[in-house]
Amino acid sequence: MSRTLVYPKTPSSTAHRYNERATYDLGAIHTIVNTSKVLHISFPPDPSEGPFPAVIPMIGQMGSFDRPSADIDDPLDCYIHGYVSSRLMKLARSSTGGEGLPLTIAATKVDGLVLSLTPFSHDYNYRSAVLFGYGHVVETDEEKVWAMRLITDSVVTGRWENSRTPPDGGELSSTSILRVKIVSGSGKIREGGPGEDKKDAEKEDVVNKFWTGVVPVWETIGEPVPSKRNRVQELPDHIRGFMERENDMNEKQAFSAANAVYPKPKAQ
């Protein structure tokens, strides 16, 4: 029997509120990150910039350059794409100490709007993940190109091979990739219908008056709009296939979450 790998519980990553929704499973957390179009990266700013933590929306993916055949539930790094002179990359390069720049990475997917008898009990069906780690700028062109392909193919599967590659010298020199060594992380997953308070659920006049349930929510890939310079008349198979797979997967996830039992039964 295979063993499920989990992140260690640390003061930063341990869930306290709604801890029954928490997961430390590497596979679950990495999947949330890799299916999120945008990651929010938090980091300490330069002291001259003021006291507020910085948060930037960026593109990133979990992967392993040293172990390219690693599975989603194996230990992985997070690769983040950025401009060579961006504030984040400058801070990572100038970070003192061997660990690197401390970072927090957050990702969230909304699967449904949970409508209950009272506003107090309204909720979302969602999947969220938070990772904690240390960032280093990738130095070698080999690893940089590998990470660029990983991230590009996360935008549209197969896009790297269906665009002008490899990147030229100017593109490589203007792009930086941050490799984040993850030290801990956690996720939260909420599925199912409303969790009603007993005081409301037992009132016939309340139950008979207000609709309750879940409004499924899923991300939809729309029909592509060609650019003014596009000369390829037929939509390529890799784009059409990507659209169909993504839309089907996202819709199924939303309805699966809506029909799940809430609260989730505790493991025996």
Side-chain angles (χ1 to χ4, degrees):
M1 174 180 276
S2 61
R3 182 169 59 94
T4 300
L5 298 180
V6 297
Y7 280 114
K9 293 183 180 181
T10 66
S12 297
S13 66
T14 301
H16 297 285
R17 183 165 172 76
Y18 293 121
N19 59 1
E20 72 278 4
R21 302 180 183 179
T23 179
Y24 302 90
D25 185 309
L26 268 63
I29 294 169
H30 295 169
T31 298
I32 294 168
V33 172
N34 277 6
T35 56
S36 296
K37 299 299 183 187
V38 176
L39 306 177
H40 287 89
I41 315 299
S42 303
F43 54 93
D46 185 279
S48 64
E49 297 175 354
F52 303 109
V55 182
I56 298 179
M58 303 188 78
I59 300 174
Q61 281 284 288
M62 306 299 299
S64 175
F65 175 71
D66 294 328
R67 297 176 295 108
S69 62
D71 292 327
I72 194 71
D73 52 0
D74 287 331
L76 300 172
D77 299 321
C78 187
Y79 286 86
I80 298 169
H81 175 278
Y83 187 61
V84 65
S85 61
S86 68
R87 175 171 50 160
L88 176 59
M89 298 302 174
K90 287 181 177 179
L91 286 171
R93 287 192 187 90
S94 62
S95 179
T96 59
E99 288 187 317
L101 180 68
L103 299 165
T104 301
I105 302 166
T108 304
K109 305 285 289 184
V110 176
D111 296 317
L113 315 177
V114 183
L115 311 181
S116 70
L117 293 170
T118 170
F120 181 80
S121 297
H122 278 50
D123 211 331
Y124 279 174
N125 280 340
Y126 66 90
R127 292 162 286 147
S128 66
V130 179
L131 295 170
F132 303 90
Y134 294 92
H136 289 272
V137 176
V138 171
E139 298 295 342
T140 69
D141 285 351
E142 184 182 6
E143 185 175 4
K144 184 186 288 189
V145 171
W146 177 88
M148 291 171 71
R149 178 169 187 161
L150 176 74
I151 295 168
T152 300
D153 283 343
S154 77
V155 177
V156 171
T157 305
R159 189 59 186 169
W160 182 267
E161 290 186 347
N162 288 277
S163 57
R164 195 270 297 157
T165 53
D168 60 31
E171 292 166 340
L172 275 177
S173 63
S174 65
T175 302
S176 283
I177 300 291
L178 199 67
R179 183 200 325 107
V180 184
K181 177 70 174 178
I182 307 301
V183 298
S184 67
S186 61
K188 277 188 176 181
I189 299 173
R190 201 275 186 198
E191 297 179 322
E196 304 290 4
D197 285 338
K198 185 177 180 181
K199 64 183 179 183
D200 293 309
E202 293 180 347
K203 293 180 180 178
E204 289 295 321
D205 59 327
V206 174
V207 173
N208 292 332
K209 186 175 181 180
F210 302 108
W211 188 93
T212 62
V214 177
V215 180
V217 173
W218 65 92
E219 191 173 61
T220 301
I221 308 297
E223 190 65 27
V225 178
S227 73
K228 292 181 179 179
R229 292 186 176 181
N230 175 66
R231 295 183 182 179
V232 179
Q233 296 304 310
E234 186 174 346
L235 187 69
D237 290 342
H238 76 283
I239 301 177
R240 179 66 64 189
F242 168 77
M243 292 168 52
E244 293 173 352
R245 290 190 303 272
E246 284 284 300
N247 289 339
D248 181 64
M249 178 184 68
N250 292 342
E251 182 177 0
K252 286 180 177 177
Q253 170 64 38
F255 279 96
S256 174
N259 289 308
V261 175
Y262 181 85
K264 185 177 180 180
K266 293 183 179 180
Q268 298 297 318

